[in-house]
Amino acid sequence: MSSSLGRNKGHNTDRDTDNNIMQKPTIPKGMRDFGPVEMARRNYIFDTIREVYALYGFRQIETPTMEQLTTLMGKYGEEGDRLLFKVLNSGDALKELSDEELLERNAGRFANKACEKGLRYDLTVPFARYVVMHRAELTLPFRRYQIQPVWRADRPQKGRYREFYQCDADVIGSTSLLNEVELLQIINEVFRRFGLRVRIHLNNRKILGGIASVLGEEERLIDITTAIDKLDKMGQEKVFDELRGKGFKEETLLRLQPLLMLSGSNREKLDKLATLLAASEEGLAGIEELRFILDHIETLDFSAELMIDLSLARGLSYYTGAILEVKALDTPMGSISGGGRYDNLTGIFGLDGLSGVGISFGADRIYDVLLELGLFPEESEVGTQILLANFSKEDALYLLPLLAKLRARGIRCELYPEATKIKKQMGYADSLKIPYVLLVGEEERLAGRFTLKDMQRGEQVQLSEKELLERFGY
Amino acid sequence: MSSSLGRNKGHNTDRDTDNNIMQKPTIPKGMRDFGPVEMARRNYIFDTIREVYALYGFRQIETPTMEQLTTLMGKYGEEGDRLLFKVLNSGDALKELSDEELLERNAGRFANKACEKGLRYDLTVPFARYVVMHRAELTLPFRRYQIQPVWRADRPQKGRYREFYQCDADVIGSTSLLNEVELLQIINEVFRRFGLRVRIHLNNRKILGGIASVLGEEERLIDITTAIDKLDKMGQEKVFDELRGKGFKEETLLRLQPLLMLSGSNREKLDKLATLLAASEEGLAGIEELRFILDHIETLDFSAELMIDLSLARGLSYYTGAILEVKALDTPMGSISGGGRYDNLTGIFGLDGLSGVGISFGADRIYDVLLELGLFPEESEVGTQILLANFSKEDALYLLPLLAKLRARGIRCELYPEATKIKKQMGYADSLKIPYVLLVGEEERLAGRFTLKDMQRGEQVQLSEKELLERFGY
């Protein structure tokens, strides 16, 4: 169970069979190996997010890599169904298929009968499935976080992979807007810890609904918001041309204009909006929700920029209240975090009436941003702190107890395992960026002294054991 | 990329489609959801192992969940091939198959053409693949650790799952026995931290080879070791009967007997063995290796029991030197950790000459043992430390800055999001095992005081903010 190939009593293997016929191996496209330096950086990101989630009372869950395809299919639209990785049934995968069905070669129908399981496509649907399955043992409101990889058979391209991590937090079973406030605080705190300046764009589905409503265009909410979304890039004239092309009347556009011209502080925007949306109950409700959030955020030490942004119109098919998106200020990069409130997450599995609100951090994009801006703390990349050089068999016997003492004090260290040329050992420390090398030749051993070499400065000092331990903070 | 379903601009979805037709969802057999309490315990295990690995200079890598099937097939024996989970090619999975091939319904041949990828079956083969692919950028010796799930289409049964974690550490590119010593220290330290008393069984492939050699039965090493392996359970008579049944001569059995009767300390066993295996160069080399390990371990503070155990005969098809296995002393449970030295890990991918030695911890079994023996530290299961009760809208506004102060000091806390009945809020704290509830009614707010309730003792005290912060160690 617990053991790997080389350690598993239960499985007979023969590692030598294919010895000389193997080609140089590869990994599937769109997937990645992470080496020690990348892992150290990635752990810094995950650990930071995990720690903040926990500080805010969120509790971690994990769901299986594979879900029943019935759980996944139809939840992500047609494109999503196509992008699911499907796992072939073990045993006779074809037994449910007649000869006619096989020869029909209908990829979708084939997969439905030959595959019962698929790989997790996101963390939201498995979370909804989890809540429904474990409803009886859950205490609501349930603040859960989940940091796991997901898989999509997307065309791989720069910054887009077929296996990547999501870092989600959701509160389910509470309609209180305090949850929105807390999630904004989490975003603020995570990026503060990363040293990354961000702007949080905030909108509310009800306001977008209100706009469509006062324009008398409830049915064409998506057309309107899609156009609004392009204001930044295209300017008002082109956006209006697009709307005209879709059959919007001049009169409607005239009424839309002041809504697009909102300027000033967040408060000023909401005040003007309240006048313009006075006829829409839904719109006014959305404004009240944003005011509640601002009221509370203003009592807090909040370093992120928070901007009411009416052009933010993501996830309109499921978000029902707050919508938010985060962008880095110092580098152009799409959204690095986002979220919103949905009123019926578990409805897809037949459990209605649970409102939720959640956020997600885009770990891969955050990685790229931190790397580009040089924001990874140096310590996060230091593995071993001290390499103990190995001059002879006798050295090793002498140094093992010292190693144990250093490690008992939490100092990460290792002894070079072979008594090989010192140049090679120094090269090892160098290429692994180990900051210190401890040299203990025969002479030093007899004198009970150690030579500590600072690899970056090239300096070395002679120390007693006590001085050495003190030097590293003890 | 980074975002989940509910947060992904790119994918249109409609969560409401299947609303009323869904059955209660399930998860694939042999797989598990991990709720918050299980996750807290699992993280305690993983974090402990991770921390110790890092202290010893091991560096983490991760490999993709999916590998090319060409990388995996033929590496785990026939049974292993059958237990691999295969991923259906995206797009037209059947395009490589002729009608004849489809109608042939040969499961293996079908999978070879419809599936290019499979799920990771262990961490050893992906590690070998990693070393070969990244050879140019690796500095040897390479001390790597890896903690990731693996998948096997095994028949699920108690304690045996289709998705489970492995926690491997290996040193590759060094033949020094100091690596064996360090890996034993890691095992000792991990179980010391868990508070778990263990016995490490230690043997050497060369000694087993030596025994077969002095008996003149090199060809039947497996028969001999399989029988020896049963000594404990069956006793010498039955073991000898089994060997007779396989055609071993009485004379051979007479010579085997003293080897099985070895008793005394590890040193005494090795001394006797050295006499008995005097004619086998290989056997003597194995004895010398074990002596080296004992010499070094004896200089150290080593709390695990270390036992030379000639009946330990796992992984004979790949281990070439040390073989080890760990068992808990206070509960009957199979191996909870194991490992050994192999001389040609990367040979399967055409890169010869790299010797390695590694260990693996069985996280799932360790979980069961710690739970059974009540060894999970209480702190490891505490999520939120303080719940702030919510009496009114005004409370919340007043409490958010206090929450922020507590969190800034690293105290995990949350505000109940709704101003609902206090009984319900207390029930929430109770069922989540939150140890403290902070009560701040209007009166207390005006007086700048807080009531802190200790949920376990049922006591409550009145505190100022300063006293509250001090109480939690600041």
Side-chain angles (χ1 to χ4, degrees):
Chain A
M1 240 355 270
S2 56
S3 47
S4 69
L5 162 68
R7 289 133 205 169
N8 193 332
K9 247 181 164 170
H11 295 91
N12 264 318
T13 69
D14 185 348
R15 282 182 159 172
D16 300 318
T17 334
D18 292 352
N19 243 2
N20 298 309
I21 51 166
M22 286 296 301
Q23 304 230 319
K24 184 160 180 179
T26 60
I27 54 176
K29 66 177 174 178
M31 309 202 178
R32 295 166 288 172
D33 282 326
F34 296 110
V37 175
E38 287 157 303
M39 276 309 297
R41 290 180 188 141
R42 288 171 66 83
N43 283 337
Y44 166 70
I45 292 174
F46 294 131
D47 290 346
T48 302
I49 293 171
R50 203 189 321 265
E51 202 176 313
V52 175
Y53 280 159
L55 265 184
Y56 279 74
F58 285 74
R59 315 172 77 215
Q60 190 174 11
I61 69 161
E62 282 188 4
T63 60
T65 292
M66 286 178 248
E67 293 277 352
Q68 306 286 17
L69 274 175
T70 51
T71 299
L72 302 175
M73 296 288 284
K75 307 306 187 304
Y76 307 103
E78 254 176 64
E79 195 203 355
D81 283 354
R82 217 173 32 76
L83 299 184
L84 286 171
F85 280 109
K86 301 179 176 100
V87 177
L88 199 66
N89 292 343
S90 7
D92 181 5
L94 303 181
K95 69 167 181 266
E96 298 291 329
L97 286 138
S98 67
D99 288 354
E100 290 71 33
E101 285 170 318
L102 280 175
L103 294 178
E104 197 190 20
R105 293 177 176 271
N106 177 315
R109 219 161 318 157
F110 171 78
N112 283 348
K113 294 210 164 179
C115 305
E116 275 171 8
K117 297 176 288 289
L119 299 192
R120 188 169 51 220
Y121 182 89
D122 74 354
L123 302 181
T124 308
V125 167
F127 174 52
R129 194 266 311 144
Y130 178 92
V131 169
V132 173
M133 266 182 74
H134 299 269
R135 180 65 193 84
E137 72 215 53
L138 286 183
T139 307
L140 297 182
F142 182 36
R143 298 155 91 91
R144 92 86 170 75
Y145 79 87
Q146 190 169 356
I147 299 180
Q148 292 191 275
V150 301
W151 296 268
R152 297 181 186 179
D154 248 329
R155 191 179 305 276
Q157 50 184 279
K158 191 180 171 333
R160 189 173 276 264
Y161 305 99
R162 293 183 145 197
E163 172 176 52
F164 57 97
Y165 269 76
Q166 295 191 332
C167 314
D168 284 19
D170 290 80
V171 187
I172 196 161
S174 164
T175 54
S176 166
L177 291 165
L178 285 174
N179 297 304
E180 275 83 340
V181 173
E182 294 249 282
L183 290 169
L184 287 168
Q185 281 182 271
I186 287 178
I187 290 173
N188 178 65
E189 179 64 15
V190 164
F191 289 114
R192 192 191 66 72
R193 291 183 180 209
F194 288 146
L196 190 63
R197 300 195 320 129
V198 297
R199 178 183 296 133
I200 305 175
H201 299 251
L202 188 61
N203 199 2
N204 192 299
R205 170 67 151 81
K206 294 172 184 160
I207 291 180
L208 293 171
I211 291 177
S213 163
V214 298
L215 297 178
E217 298 281 1
E218 284 95 336
E219 304 301 312
R220 297 208 281 176
L221 172 64
I222 302 289
D223 283 343
I224 297 170
T225 51
T226 308
I228 292 181
D229 199 33
K230 297 178 189 159
L231 264 180
D232 256 9
K233 273 185 234 151
M234 294 168 48
Q236 186 184 307
E237 261 326 293
K238 289 198 174 158
V239 166
F240 276 26
D241 282 348
E242 185 178 316
L243 287 171
R244 279 184 198 104
K246 293 191 168 166
F248 283 86
K249 291 187 222 137
E250 286 306 319
E251 186 205 332
T252 308
L253 297 182
L254 270 177
R255 277 193 294 152
L256 177 57
Q257 193 172 30
L259 288 160
L260 304 183
M261 303 292 291
L262 288 183
S263 61
S265 70
N266 287 326
R267 294 284 185 184
E268 286 164 356
K269 282 184 194 169
L270 290 183
D271 289 345
K272 288 180 205 163
L273 205 53
T275 316
L276 295 164
L277 300 185
S280 163
E281 210 173 303
E282 185 190 12
L284 293 177
I287 292 169
E288 274 321 296
E289 291 190 15
L290 288 184
R291 280 191 175 134
F292 181 98
I293 292 172
L294 292 180
D295 286 346
H296 286 76
I297 291 292
E298 278 164 11
T299 68
L300 299 165
D301 186 16
F302 203 82
S303 52
E305 201 179 299
L306 184 64
M307 188 176 87
I308 304 285
D309 177 2
L310 296 188
S311 78
L312 178 61
R314 61 199 309 236
L316 293 185
S317 58
Y318 39 87
Y319 285 144
T320 52
I323 310 173
L324 64 95
E325 189 163 273
V326 183
K327 289 180 179 161
L329 287 177
D330 298 317
T331 179
M333 167 73 78
S335 157
I336 52 176
S337 176
R341 177 174 288 276
Y342 39 83
D343 270 349
N344 196 12
L345 177 70
T346 54
I348 47 173
F349 297 115
L351 178 66
D352 282 319
L354 280 184
S355 182
V357 54
I359 57 170
S360 184
F361 289 95
D364 287 282
R365 285 191 178 171
I366 291 172
Y367 185 101
D368 291 345
V369 171
L370 296 185
L371 195 62
E372 185 193 329
L373 299 177
L375 290 176
F376 282 110
E378 242 175 77
E379 319 85 76
S380 75
E381 293 176 27
V382 171
T384 294
Q385 295 160 281
I386 311 178
L387 174 72
L388 279 65
N390 188 341
F391 288 102
S392 71
K393 222 173 157 176
E394 293 69 38
D395 269 5
L397 259 178
Y398 177 75
L399 289 175
L400 281 181
L402 175 67
L403 264 179
K405 272 186 210 167
L406 289 164
R407 289 170 179 157
R409 283 160 180 77
I411 302 164
R412 297 183 299 277
C413 51
E414 59 186 287
L415 170 65
Y416 197 86
E418 339 264 347
T420 183
K421 279 191 220 120
I422 187 66
K423 201 178 155 196
K424 188 170 177 196
Q425 300 187 39
M426 287 293 184
Y428 175 85
D430 221 36
S431 81
L432 264 54
K433 299 206 173 114
I434 298 175
Y436 294 96
V437 175
L438 196 73
L439 302 147
V440 195
E442 200 184 340
E443 206 175 305
E444 280 130 327
R445 204 166 70 227
L446 294 174
R449 312 274 303 166
F450 307 92
T451 299
L452 184 71
K453 176 157 184 163
D454 181 326
M455 293 297 283
Q456 206 169 356
R457 302 188 188 180
E459 297 163 3
Q460 51 187 54
V461 285
Q462 285 257 333
L463 300 170
S464 68
E465 182 178 303
K466 185 161 168 286
E467 287 164 341
L468 174 68
L469 294 176
E470 274 169 11
R471 176 120 183 173
F472 286 87
Y474 303 91
Chain B
M1 242 357 267
S2 57
S3 48
S4 71
L5 162 68
R7 290 129 204 172
N8 192 332
K9 247 180 164 168
H11 296 92
N12 265 318
T13 70
D14 186 346
R15 283 184 161 173
D16 301 318
T17 332
D18 292 354
N19 242 4
N20 299 308
I21 52 166
M22 284 295 301
Q23 304 229 315
K24 184 159 182 180
T26 60
I27 53 176
K29 65 177 175 179
M31 310 201 177
R32 295 166 290 173
D33 282 326
F34 296 110
V37 175
E38 287 157 304
M39 277 309 296
R41 291 181 189 142
R42 289 171 65 83
N43 284 336
Y44 166 70
I45 292 173
F46 294 132
D47 289 347
T48 302
I49 294 171
R50 204 188 322 266
E51 203 177 311
V52 175
Y53 280 159
L55 265 184
Y56 279 75
F58 285 74
R59 314 171 78 215
Q60 190 175 12
I61 70 162
E62 282 188 3
T63 60
T65 291
M66 284 178 250
E67 294 277 350
Q68 307 286 15
L69 273 177
T70 51
T71 299
L72 302 176
M73 296 287 285
K75 308 304 186 303
Y76 306 103
E78 253 176 63
E79 195 202 354
D81 283 355
R82 217 172 33 79
L83 299 184
L84 287 171
F85 280 109
K86 301 179 176 101
V87 177
L88 198 68
N89 292 342
S90 8
D92 181 5
L94 304 181
K95 69 166 181 266
E96 300 291 329
L97 286 137
S98 67
D99 288 354
E100 290 71 31
E101 285 170 316
L102 279 175
L103 294 179
E104 195 188 22
R105 294 175 176 270
N106 177 315
R109 219 161 317 156
F110 170 79
N112 284 347
K113 293 210 165 177
C115 304
E116 276 171 6
K117 296 176 288 289
L119 300 192
R120 188 167 52 221
Y121 182 89
D122 75 354
L123 303 180
T124 308
V125 168
F127 174 51
R129 194 267 309 144
Y130 178 93
V131 169
V132 173
M133 266 182 76
H134 299 272
R135 180 67 193 86
E137 72 216 53
L138 285 184
T139 307
L140 296 183
F142 182 36
R143 296 157 92 91
R144 92 85 170 75
Y145 80 87
Q146 190 168 356
I147 298 180
Q148 290 191 276
V150 302
W151 296 268
R152 297 179 185 181
D154 248 329
R155 191 179 306 275
Q157 49 183 279
K158 192 182 169 335
R160 187 172 278 264
Y161 305 100
R162 292 183 145 198
E163 172 175 53
F164 58 95
Y165 269 75
Q166 296 191 331
C167 312
D168 284 19
D170 291 80
V171 187
I172 195 162
S174 164
T175 54
S176 167
L177 292 167
L178 285 173
N179 297 303
E180 275 83 339
V181 173
E182 294 249 283
L183 290 168
L184 286 169
Q185 281 183 272
I186 286 177
I187 290 173
N188 178 65
E189 179 64 15
V190 164
F191 289 113
R192 192 190 65 73
R193 290 182 181 210
F194 288 146
L196 191 62
R197 300 195 318 130
V198 297
R199 177 183 297 132
I200 306 175
H201 298 251
L202 187 62
N203 199 1
N204 192 299
R205 172 66 152 80
K206 293 171 184 162
I207 291 179
L208 292 171
I211 291 177
S213 162
V214 298
L215 296 179
E217 299 281 359
E218 284 96 334
E219 303 302 313
R220 298 206 279 176
L221 171 63
I222 302 289
D223 284 342
I224 297 170
T225 51
T226 307
I228 291 181
D229 200 31
K230 297 177 189 161
L231 264 181
D232 256 8
K233 272 185 236 153
M234 294 170 43
Q236 185 183 306
E237 261 328 291
K238 287 197 175 159
V239 166
F240 275 26
D241 281 348
E242 184 178 318
L243 287 172
R244 278 184 200 107
K246 290 188 170 169
F248 282 87
K249 290 184 225 144
E250 287 304 317
E251 184 204 334
T252 309
L253 298 183
L254 271 177
R255 277 193 293 150
L256 178 57
Q257 192 172 31
L259 288 160
L260 303 184
M261 304 292 292
L262 287 182
S263 62
S265 69
N266 288 326
R267 293 286 183 184
E268 286 163 358
K269 282 184 196 170
L270 289 182
D271 290 344
K272 288 179 204 162
L273 206 53
T275 317
L276 295 164
L277 300 185
S280 163
E281 210 174 302
E282 187 190 12
L284 293 176
I287 293 169
E288 273 322 294
E289 291 188 4
L290 289 185
R291 281 191 175 135
F292 180 99
I293 292 173
L294 292 180
D295 287 345
H296 286 76
I297 292 292
E298 279 163 11
T299 68
L300 299 166
D301 186 15
F302 203 82
S303 52
E305 201 180 301
L306 184 63
M307 187 177 88
I308 304 287
D309 177 1
L310 296 188
S311 78
L312 177 61
R314 61 197 308 232
L316 292 185
S317 59
Y318 40 87
Y319 286 143
T320 52
I323 309 172
L324 65 95
E325 188 163 273
V326 183
K327 289 181 180 160
L329 288 179
D330 298 319
T331 180
M333 166 73 79
S335 158
I336 53 177
S337 176
R341 177 173 287 276
Y342 39 82
D343 269 350
N344 197 12
L345 177 70
T346 56
I348 49 173
F349 297 115
L351 179 66
D352 283 319
L354 279 185
S355 183
V357 54
I359 56 170
S360 185
F361 288 95
D364 287 283
R365 285 191 177 173
I366 292 172
Y367 184 101
D368 291 344
V369 170
L370 296 185
L371 195 61
E372 185 194 329
L373 299 177
L375 290 174
F376 282 110
E378 242 176 78
E379 319 87 75
S380 75
E381 294 176 26
V382 172
T384 295
Q385 296 160 278
I386 311 178
L387 174 71
L388 280 65
N390 188 340
F391 288 101
S392 71
K393 223 173 155 177
E394 293 69 39
D395 269 6
L397 259 177
Y398 176 75
L399 288 175
L400 280 180
L402 174 67
L403 264 178
K405 269 186 213 169
L406 288 164
R407 289 170 178 154
R409 283 161 179 79
I411 302 163
R412 298 183 300 277
C413 50
E414 59 187 287
L415 171 63
Y416 197 86
E418 338 265 348
T420 184
K421 280 191 219 117
I422 189 64
K423 200 178 155 196
K424 191 171 175 194
Q425 301 187 38
M426 286 295 183
Y428 175 85
D430 221 36
S431 81
L432 265 56
K433 298 203 172 123
I434 299 176
Y436 294 97
V437 175
L438 197 72
L439 302 147
V440 195
E442 201 185 337
E443 206 176 304
E444 281 130 327
R445 204 166 71 227
L446 294 174
R449 311 276 300 168
F450 307 92
T451 300
L452 184 71
K453 174 158 183 161
D454 181 325
M455 293 296 283
Q456 208 169 355
R457 303 187 188 182
E459 297 164 3
Q460 51 187 54
V461 284
Q462 285 258 334
L463 300 170
S464 68
E465 182 178 306
K466 185 162 168 284
E467 287 163 342
L468 174 67
L469 295 175
E470 274 167 10
R471 176 120 181 173
F472 286 88
Y474 301 92

